Amino acid sequence: MSQRIGEMLIENGLLTGAGLAEALASARAQNEPLIRILLREGRVPEEPLLRLLAEQHHLPFARLRECEPEPAALKALTARQAAHYHVMPLRLSGTTLTLAVSNPFELGAVEDIGTLQGYRVERVVACAGEIQEAIRRHYGVGADTVDRILEDSAGPAEAMPQEESHDLEKALSDASVVNLVNQMLQQAIAERATDLHFERYRDEIRVRRRVDGLLHDTPVPTALGQLYPAIIARIKLMGGLNIVERRLPQDGRARVRIGARDYDLRISVMPTLHGENVVVRILPTHLMIRFEELGLGPRHRDLLETLLRQPHGIIFVTGPTGSGKSTTLYACLNRLNTSERKIVTIEDPVEYELKGVTQTPVQPRIDLTFARALRGMLRHDPDIMMVGEVRDRETAEITIQTALTGHLVFSTLHTNDAAAAAVRLIDMGIDPYLVASTVRAFIAQRLVRVLCPACKEPAPADVQGRIFYRARGCSHCSQTGFFGRVAIYEFMMVSRSIQELILHKASAPQVRDQAIAQGMVTLADDGWEKVAAGITTAEEVLRVTQLPD
């Protein structure tokens, strides 16, 4: 049989004679089926191989991403059974159950399900990864683990009360709860999520993940509500939090290893009307960010390089929360981080560890504020400093005094655009002369989603004959049409004319008009350039810049 499969693969150009000989030898040495060896060692692409096998066995081949299982079929098997046998139920007609299988030679699962469930089983062939994905999508992440915990539990089937803790301790001692939380974290990381939200409402549990800046529902089993308090307690334990305290907000952190990478988890617990909600922020412990990855065009890259060569002064990066300000600042520090320079930072919190940089997190509970830490940092003989955020007059004053004493300082402000940042500092009570004389540039930025390179497609030409691209969706991007994000920028260099406006306390629109007149590329204009280059879409630019139609 193995020899016949090998001959078919050679006939279809999927395998060479030498490759077949090596695979057969490996299969004999490891006492495993040839198909498993071919797939595990990557000698043959999975889909073409399974299509050949399906044809040989006169079975249909199915793309599960294009199939919608019947509700009756999903009820025919539990999540635990589907995961155990690695099959996906698709249709139920009378007593005939159609299952997707990834290996037509393995009949044990089909026979077991037919015998135990009393169905006549028909098979279709599908890729193993698509079967696994379909089980998660239709039964929910960790559904088999939830089934196993509840089946093994001797307790009642109703939801575990939030107020009781004795059942909670019993659930926590079961390693399956630990495994369930690990499954959810692993799945979130596999889907490139930056945040994982656990939300409890009166009659449902909602789990959502933030991918490329937008929240998406994570399919979870309906029975998850019975284990929700145990899940929250497990996450609290990971973050070193008090599992008994349910009335006050708590913040913690944990470090986990997924595969070969370490991740920092920032855990925030918030009491709500129907229980505790948790947000887990997922950050890689080390992140080397290059300028090429920021999305800087040639013009903006030259401007930033010029700013980094300044011996002193302040560079402000502005934008709302989640606009990538910290990423830009870390890229700048990476570029400047050499053995000849002392770089110190004060952050809330420290997002990523930078080797060779002295990083200090603020701790308001012990009165270690930005302003107080700044005073201490000056005694460490720094060349370059980063202040995570200028929030108040005291911090702004010390930051400016630092720049006046010959330091290059990076910081952030929460404003809508670059021009508004100058006005914001004056509104804080900073002397306009100090703002004009110390700030070298205000950089505003936003993040837009990048079109998936595997599935983006040309859109119909506009009235000017220009061809842009649009999102379609594929398995590579989880059907979203986007994969990753890139920044759009607005660099307002503080020229003499801008300084004059700041000294005269001009309004933000006046400052903005002058900056545009001297050549500033606005956020929207930078976004349209990326649309024209096929990087993103017009809808994305409009979404983050809030421009009128």
Side-chain angles (χ1 to χ4, degrees):
M1 180 69 72
S2 295
Q3 190 67 38
R4 175 59 187 148
I5 295 171
E7 291 172 359
M8 291 172 60
L9 292 172
I10 292 174
E11 291 171 5
N12 285 270
L14 296 173
L15 194 64
T16 64
L20 173 60
E22 292 175 4
L24 287 170
S26 182
R28 284 192 293 268
Q30 299 179 46
N31 194 27
E32 289 195 47
L34 175 64
I35 295 175
R36 192 172 298 168
I37 294 294
L38 291 172
L39 293 176
R40 188 171 64 209
E41 296 181 359
R43 295 177 181 271
V44 177
E46 182 181 22
E47 184 172 326
L49 172 61
L50 293 183
R51 284 187 181 276
L52 278 177
L53 294 178
E55 181 182 344
Q56 182 187 32
H57 286 75
H58 306 290
L59 297 173
F61 180 87
R63 300 291 301 274
L64 295 190
R65 295 188 182 96
E66 301 168 1
C67 299
E68 190 63 29
E70 295 177 357
L74 292 173
K75 293 178 181 178
L77 293 185
T78 65
R80 186 175 182 179
Q81 290 170 324
H84 175 73
Y85 291 113
H86 194 69
V87 297
M88 182 64 201
L90 298 178
R91 291 182 297 277
L92 180 62
S93 178
T95 59
T96 301
L97 178 64
T98 302
L99 296 177
V101 302
S102 60
N103 188 344
F105 292 125
E106 294 182 1
L107 299 176
V110 172
E111 293 171 353
D112 285 353
I113 292 171
T115 301
L116 296 174
Q117 304 294 112
Y119 293 116
R120 175 178 169 272
V121 176
E122 292 185 351
R123 296 172 295 159
V124 300
V125 180
C127 294
E130 291 195 10
I131 291 176
Q132 190 65 38
E133 179 186 329
I135 292 172
R136 283 196 300 266
R137 186 167 67 249
H138 296 288
Y139 285 103
V141 176
D144 57 319
T145 304
V146 172
D147 282 355
R148 187 164 62 251
I149 296 172
L150 296 179
E151 286 176 15
D152 294 343
S153 172
E158 66 270 8
M160 190 183 299
Q162 183 76 4
E163 294 77 14
E164 297 183 10
S165 60
H166 56 280
D167 288 336
L168 183 63
E169 293 174 2
K170 178 181 178 182
L172 282 171
S173 66
D174 189 331
S176 293
V177 175
V178 176
N179 292 338
L180 178 59
V181 173
N182 289 347
Q183 279 181 273
M184 291 181 157
L185 288 171
Q186 287 174 339
Q187 186 61 29
I189 290 171
E191 294 175 348
R192 303 180 295 110
T194 55
D195 302 87
L196 188 59
H197 295 238
F198 295 84
E199 302 164 350
R200 183 166 191 161
Y201 300 97
R202 179 182 298 277
D203 54 0
E204 72 169 329
I205 302 298
R206 195 177 188 188
V207 179
R208 295 192 286 173
R209 64 201 185 281
R210 188 178 295 279
V211 181
D212 293 336
L214 298 182
L215 283 170
H216 304 270
D217 282 318
T218 295
V220 294
T222 55
L224 189 71
Q226 300 178 51
L227 299 173
Y228 187 78
I231 292 169
I232 299 307
R234 167 59 187 165
I235 295 172
K236 282 183 173 181
L237 285 176
M238 291 175 66
L241 303 179
N242 184 350
I243 65 171
V244 178
E245 179 57 71
R246 303 187 186 95
R247 301 164 300 168
L248 297 172
Q250 297 188 69
D251 293 304
R253 62 189 299 170
R255 178 169 290 193
V256 297
R257 175 175 284 269
I258 303 293
R261 297 192 68 180
D262 289 327
Y263 294 86
D264 273 333
L265 306 181
R266 308 286 166 76
I267 299 167
S268 177
V269 182
M270 177 66 68
T272 68
L273 183 62
H274 298 292
E276 292 178 293
N277 284 8
V278 173
V279 175
V280 180
R281 185 145 205 211
I282 304 167
L283 297 166
T285 54
H286 297 283
L287 188 67
M288 293 299 291
I289 305 159
R290 300 180 302 164
F291 274 21
E292 294 76 13
E293 298 169 348
L294 291 177
L296 292 162
R299 176 174 46 228
H300 285 157
R301 190 181 305 119
D302 291 343
L303 287 174
L304 189 52
E305 293 280 9
T306 299
L307 290 169
L308 297 186
R309 289 194 293 268
Q310 299 295 314
H312 51 78
I314 306 174
I315 300 168
F316 277 107
V317 181
T318 76
T321 300
S323 59
K325 300 185 299 294
S326 295
T327 301
T328 297
L329 290 178
Y330 279 122
C332 293
L333 295 183
N334 271 333
R335 176 62 64 91
L336 295 170
N337 188 12
T338 64
S339 59
E340 293 82 19
R341 297 187 180 102
K342 170 83 173 202
I343 303 177
V344 294
T345 73
I346 174 72
E347 306 172 59
D348 181 24
V350 174
E351 296 283 352
Y352 306 109
E353 294 180 19
L354 296 176
K355 186 177 181 180
V357 176
T358 301
Q359 297 173 270
T360 301
V362 299
Q363 300 183 58
R365 284 178 293 182
I366 58 173
D367 198 31
L368 180 58
T369 61
F370 276 109
R372 188 169 186 177
L374 263 170
R375 296 189 185 96
M377 287 166 62
L378 287 171
R379 293 190 287 272
H380 275 249
D381 187 30
D383 297 296
I384 298 166
M385 302 174 67
M386 185 182 88
V387 182
E389 183 182 346
V390 170
R391 297 176 178 172
D392 50 50
R393 178 176 179 175
E394 184 182 15
T395 305
E397 286 178 339
I398 300 172
T399 301
I400 286 175
Q401 291 297 329
T402 300
L404 287 172
T405 57
H407 298 88
L408 181 60
V409 183
F410 296 87
S411 191
T412 69
L413 277 171
H414 283 275
T415 60
N416 289 328
D417 58 22
V423 177
R424 171 76 177 127
L425 289 172
I426 296 172
D427 288 344
M428 284 183 180
I430 305 302
D431 190 318
Y433 170 76
L434 293 176
V435 176
S437 60
T438 57
V439 179
R440 297 291 174 260
F442 295 99
I443 305 170
Q445 70 175 79
R446 298 289 190 278
L447 293 176
V448 294
R449 293 184 294 170
V450 175
L451 282 165
C452 174
C455 68
K456 70 178 183 180
E457 60 185 13
D462 65 7
V463 293
Q464 296 177 323
R466 295 175 299 183
I467 300 294
F468 299 124
Y469 288 84
R470 62 187 178 190
R472 189 182 70 199
C474 66
S475 59
H476 180 64
C477 60
S478 301
Q479 309 302 322
T480 65
F482 298 92
F483 194 92
R485 290 187 291 174
V486 71
I488 57 175
Y489 289 95
E490 181 177 277
F491 276 64
M492 190 179 83
M493 310 298 285
V494 182
S495 62
R496 288 190 180 275
S497 58
I498 297 295
Q499 287 177 332
E500 287 294 326
L501 289 173
I502 292 173
L503 288 171
H504 289 89
K505 297 185 179 180
S507 66
Q510 289 175 310
V511 175
R512 180 179 177 81
D513 289 344
Q514 178 58 39
I516 293 173
Q518 70 182 26
M520 182 182 77
V521 177
T522 66
L523 282 168
D525 288 340
D526 192 34
W528 297 133
E529 289 182 7
K530 289 180 170 60
V531 171
I535 295 172
T536 189
T537 65
E539 292 79 10
E540 275 294 292
V541 175
L542 290 170
R543 179 178 65 85
V544 301
T545 58
Q546 298 181 339
L547 291 175
D549 292 336

